[in-house]
Amino acid sequence: MLNQLLIFRSLTGLGQLTLLWLGDWLGFSIENPWVWLVPVVYVLLVYGGHFWLLAKHRGKWLLLIDLLVWVVFFALLNGISNPLIWCLMLPIMLSGMSQSIGFTWVMTLLSNLSYVVLWALTPMTNTGMHSAHEPFNAHVLGMWVGFVLISSLLTYITTQMMKTIHDKNHQLLTIEQQRAEDQHIMTMATMATGLAHELGTPLNSIKLLAAELASPDLTAKDRQTDLKVIDEQVQRCQGIIREMVELANDPNYLNSHITDLGLLLHDIKDRFCDNHRQVRVRIDGDCQQPVMTDALLELAILNVLNNSAAAEAKTITLNVAIKQNKIQLQVQDDGLGEHFKQTSGLGIGLKLSRRILRSAGGSLCLHRHPKGAETTITLARV
C-alpha cells in the first residue's frame, strides 16, 4: 500500500506538469509562472518526506501536504474557475484507502473548506461574481454544492468499502488461524496414533516379562535378565515419548521439502521395522521420483504400515507406479484382510492418513480381501 501511494503521488506531480503544458488546450491560461514550481516542489516533498514521515508513523501529514499542494496549485491557476477543481477530492480518496474513518471525514471537511478558501481568493473577474452575471454566479454556487455532496458521498462509499475489506481480512485471518490450530491438532493426533503403535511392541514385551516374573519357578539369574529387558523397554518408551515432545515443539516440523521417493520409503521402512521386526517389508517399482513431503506425510504412510501390522501381516509389499502426473503407491499385505476386526486395532490411523493425503492433493483407498488387504496411496508428482 505504501509503495502504491508513492507511485500515485509521483503520477500526481507528473499529471500537474502535464496539465500546465496542456493549459491552453484545456481552456485555462497560465498567467502566473510560479505555478510551474508547485508540481516540482510537490515531488520533492513527496520523495523527501515519504520515508521519514512513514517511519515515524506520521503518514497523515502526507495527506495534508497533498491537499495543500492542490490548494496552492489552483490558487495560482484561476481558483475555482479551473475546470479541474474536482482534484481536491483526491486526498479524500487516498485518506479513505489508508487512514481511519474519522480522519477521512476530517479530510473531507478540510477539502470543502479549501474550496471555500479558493472561492474567496479567486479574482471576481474570473468567476463573474457580480450582478451582471447572475446565471454564472448560480453555476459557481451549484459547483460548490455539487462538490460538497459528491465529496461526502465519496467519503462514505470509500470508508464503508475499506471497512468491509478490513472486516473480510480479519475474518480470513481468523479462519487461517483456526485452520493452523486444526492442522496442529491433526498433527498431534497423527503423532499420537503413530506413538500408540510404536509403544505397543515394548508394552507387550513388558507385559509378558511381568507375567514371567510372577512365576515362582523363575531363577534369580533369569529374573535379573528379565528386569534388564524391562528396563530397556521402558527406556525405549521414554525415548519415543521424548521424540514426540521434541517434534511437537519444533517450529520447522511441518515444513515441506522435496525428496526422493525411494529415500522416503526406505526411511519409513526402517522406522517401521524397528518396532515390527517380525514383518518383512519389500519395495518394488520405479522409486527414483521427486516428491513433496513433510513429517505428516511420513506419518500417514507409516500409519498404513502399522495398520497392516495390526492385521497380523507377515509380509508387506510397496509397489510404486507412475500414472500421468500422479505417483501411485500400493501397499499389499497378507494379513487378516476381511477378517480384520476394528477392535483389533486403533481405527483412527487410516482416517487421519486419508485426511492428510487429501490435504496434500493425494488420496487413500483401502480394499480388503480374504487373503489380505491392498491400500492405494496417490501422491502428486513434483
Side-chain angles (χ1 to χ4, degrees), residues 78-150:
N78 301 335
I80 59 173
S81 63
N82 194 305
L84 300 175
I85 191 67
W86 55 268
C87 289
L88 289 175
M89 296 183 186
L90 294 179
I92 299 176
M93 182 181 66
L94 293 178
S95 178
M97 295 172 57
S98 60
Q99 302 298 328
S100 64
I101 295 178
F103 183 80
T104 303
W105 281 106
V106 171
M107 286 297 301
T108 303
L109 177 61
L110 293 177
S111 296
N112 284 278
L113 291 177
S114 300
Y115 195 105
V116 176
V117 171
L118 288 172
W119 193 345
L121 294 177
T122 302
M124 303 295 287
T125 55
N126 289 348
T127 61
M129 294 296 291
H130 48 78
S131 59
H133 294 83
E134 290 297 332
F136 192 78
N137 295 344
H139 172 72
V140 173
L141 180 61
M143 287 179 58
W144 177 73
V145 174
F147 182 88
V148 173
L149 294 177
I150 294 176

Side-chain angles (χ1 to χ4, degrees), residues 186 190 300-301 303-304 347-368 375-378:
M186 186 176 67
T190 306
I301 300 176
N303 279 340
V304 175
I348 195 175
L350 282 179
K351 295 180 182 179
L352 290 171
S353 297
R354 185 177 288 111
R355 176 67 179 85
I356 293 170
L357 289 168
R358 189 184 301 120
S359 300
S363 63
L364 185 149
C365 181
L366 172 64
H367 173 68
R368 293 189 177 98
T375 304
T376 302
I377 298 174
T378 303

